[in-house]
Amino acid sequence: MAFDADAAVTGQEFGARLHKLGPFETPPRLAVACSGGADSIALLGLICDWALQRNGKVVAMIVDHRLRPESTREAAQVAATAKQLGVEACVLTRTDGSLRSNVQQHAREARYRLLSSGCRQRGIPHLFLAHHRNDQAETVYMRAARNSGVDGLAGMAAVSELRNVRILRPFLDIPKTRLRATASAMGLPVIEDPSNDDLQYERVRVRRELAEATKVDAAIEFAGRNGLERRRKERVAAYALAKSCAIFPEGYAVLDIKTLRYEPVDIAYRCLAAICAMIGGRQHPPRRARTNRLYDAIVSGKLMGGRTMGGCHIMPIDRRLLIIRETSAIEKSMAVSKKGRWDGRFLVEMCSPSDGLEISALGEVGLHELRENEACIEGSNIPRAVLPTLPAVRGLEGIRYVPHLCYSKGGDAFGGKIRFAPIRPLQATRFTL
């Protein structure tokens, strides 16, 4: 059904969109990333009406980037609007200092970290984002300028999954003008961000270049074609990985080299990148150029003692590849709390408070300490190269626990769990247009 480019989005139309993006639990628990702009305010209003009819819970997630002096005041204004709509407002503040370069990229990464963490802490499985048709066209245009592959040129997905939350974008085919009309029809206040008109940012320059509707249409059509190809490749890669890749709870993987030799080159690239992103604890796979170089070394027999990529060390063992975490790239240490993720790979869950304990890599020094304490290391059947990368819980007196080696100093039981649960699973939800 065609709609006027300036017509507000109706509740019925929005409900039909959510039906396609579901299913949702009963009652639904939803979060909306809300900046206060017309797009996210319209989304919040529509979500509230939809959830209210289903006795659902909605939380407005408001990120205060602190990039402008007025950002904290604006976050409070958005929170007040959310409360007027009858939903909980949660302000998430970026605290990692000033940004001097690649401001928008670093701010976007911080935003996703905060939003994902906020959803996990509140047990909310669905995070809605208000990206729209114009945003999609800008994204595709910028990626094309960087010679991105199929994945990048497919644009943003309507449904995608992180480890803790499912991301939903119901507006990717709706122009911004309709969302402005929706916010206006609902009588919701809108905050205008001056950075949206600052030509120092690439996205703003591209936005000016895509002012003509025909250019936006062309970019969206281009994204659609690439989206179909991306979905096809994801299915093939998932099948190849299911046949040939073994993942172990100690945080490493083994891949049959024959898979790389006999699969199409682009599928082999995709498999390598997916494994390295998972084992490396990264949200995004390595760049294609680095994956290409690694692939060439593997199939030409020049891998020798191994190479590193994406925070991983890749080495040959017999006719297989051992992919482990690169020791020098592992997160140094993290205080052991009730629940948290260390090194982007291991989920730590404690049954009771654990003051004074930290989790870090076992390392060679830790291995030596365990041997001095007569720990049974060699009987673990874990490859020797993996041992230094294992998570170890330390106190003032040294290593207390290494769960994957069943080691406990003094024989006292470890009051929690440490399990391999990387940020990015080996195969996430298939790309959805």
mmCIF file of all heavy atoms in Angstrom, residues 21 70 85 94 218 226 407 419:
data_model
loop_
_atom_site.group_PDB
_atom_site.id
_atom_site.type_symbol
_atom_site.label_atom_id
_atom_site.label_comp_id
_atom_site.label_asym_id
_atom_site.label_seq_id
_atom_site.Cartn_x
_atom_site.Cartn_y
_atom_site.Cartn_z
ATOM 1 N N LEU A 21 8.123 -8.170 12.339
ATOM 2 C CA LEU A 21 9.415 -8.214 13.030
ATOM 3 C C LEU A 21 9.402 -9.144 14.237
ATOM 4 O O LEU A 21 10.461 -9.415 14.816
ATOM 5 C CB LEU A 21 9.807 -6.802 13.498
ATOM 6 C CG LEU A 21 10.039 -5.769 12.405
ATOM 7 C CD1 LEU A 21 10.399 -4.424 13.012
ATOM 8 C CD2 LEU A 21 11.119 -6.225 11.439
ATOM 9 N N GLU A 70 24.844 21.349 26.209
ATOM 10 C CA GLU A 70 23.416 21.243 26.512
ATOM 11 C C GLU A 70 22.905 19.799 26.508
ATOM 12 O O GLU A 70 21.706 19.566 26.707
ATOM 13 C CB GLU A 70 22.596 22.075 25.517
ATOM 14 C CG GLU A 70 22.775 21.691 24.062
ATOM 15 C CD GLU A 70 23.924 22.407 23.379
ATOM 16 O OE1 GLU A 70 24.867 22.801 24.074
ATOM 17 O OE2 GLU A 70 23.864 22.561 22.141
ATOM 18 N N LEU A 85 4.453 10.104 28.681
ATOM 19 C CA LEU A 85 3.825 9.026 27.908
ATOM 20 C C LEU A 85 3.547 7.799 28.774
ATOM 21 O O LEU A 85 2.966 6.823 28.302
ATOM 22 C CB LEU A 85 4.735 8.633 26.735
ATOM 23 C CG LEU A 85 4.821 9.640 25.580
ATOM 24 C CD1 LEU A 85 5.950 9.266 24.635
ATOM 25 C CD2 LEU A 85 3.497 9.697 24.820
ATOM 26 N N ARG A 94 27.651 8.711 28.834
ATOM 27 C CA ARG A 94 28.986 8.312 28.381
ATOM 28 C C ARG A 94 30.029 8.942 29.295
ATOM 29 O O ARG A 94 30.021 10.147 29.521
ATOM 30 C CB ARG A 94 29.215 8.765 26.932
ATOM 31 C CG ARG A 94 30.494 8.209 26.304
ATOM 32 C CD ARG A 94 30.686 8.752 24.890
ATOM 33 N NE ARG A 94 30.914 10.184 24.915
ATOM 34 C CZ ARG A 94 32.093 10.758 25.143
ATOM 35 N NH1 ARG A 94 33.155 10.018 25.367
ATOM 36 N NH2 ARG A 94 32.210 12.072 25.138
ATOM 37 N N ALA A 218 17.316 5.361 -5.555
ATOM 38 C CA ALA A 218 18.340 4.544 -6.208
ATOM 39 C C ALA A 218 19.198 3.829 -5.172
ATOM 40 O O ALA A 218 19.537 2.648 -5.331
ATOM 41 C CB ALA A 218 19.205 5.411 -7.115
ATOM 42 N N ASN A 226 21.665 -5.950 -2.853
ATOM 43 C CA ASN A 226 22.784 -6.464 -2.064
ATOM 44 C C ASN A 226 22.297 -7.230 -0.835
ATOM 45 O O ASN A 226 22.956 -8.171 -0.380
ATOM 46 C CB ASN A 226 23.701 -5.312 -1.642
ATOM 47 C CG ASN A 226 24.612 -4.865 -2.765
ATOM 48 O OD1 ASN A 226 25.603 -5.515 -3.065
ATOM 49 N ND2 ASN A 226 24.262 -3.761 -3.410
ATOM 50 N N TYR A 407 40.480 -25.896 38.719
ATOM 51 C CA TYR A 407 41.451 -25.557 39.770
ATOM 52 C C TYR A 407 40.814 -24.612 40.785
ATOM 53 O O TYR A 407 40.177 -23.615 40.412
ATOM 54 C CB TYR A 407 42.683 -24.888 39.174
ATOM 55 C CG TYR A 407 43.647 -24.386 40.233
ATOM 56 C CD1 TYR A 407 44.528 -25.261 40.864
ATOM 57 C CD2 TYR A 407 43.646 -23.037 40.623
ATOM 58 C CE1 TYR A 407 45.393 -24.803 41.846
ATOM 59 C CE2 TYR A 407 44.506 -22.579 41.601
ATOM 60 C CZ TYR A 407 45.375 -23.473 42.215
ATOM 61 O OH TYR A 407 46.224 -23.022 43.191
ATOM 62 N N ARG A 419 31.440 -18.701 31.720
ATOM 63 C CA ARG A 419 31.145 -19.474 30.512
ATOM 64 C C ARG A 419 31.426 -18.659 29.255
ATOM 65 O O ARG A 419 31.287 -17.427 29.249
ATOM 66 C CB ARG A 419 29.697 -19.974 30.512
ATOM 67 C CG ARG A 419 28.644 -18.902 30.593
ATOM 68 C CD ARG A 419 27.257 -19.516 30.729
ATOM 69 N NE ARG A 419 26.215 -18.521 30.877
ATOM 70 C CZ ARG A 419 25.571 -17.960 29.854
ATOM 71 N NH1 ARG A 419 25.869 -18.297 28.614
ATOM 72 N NH2 ARG A 419 24.623 -17.063 30.066
#
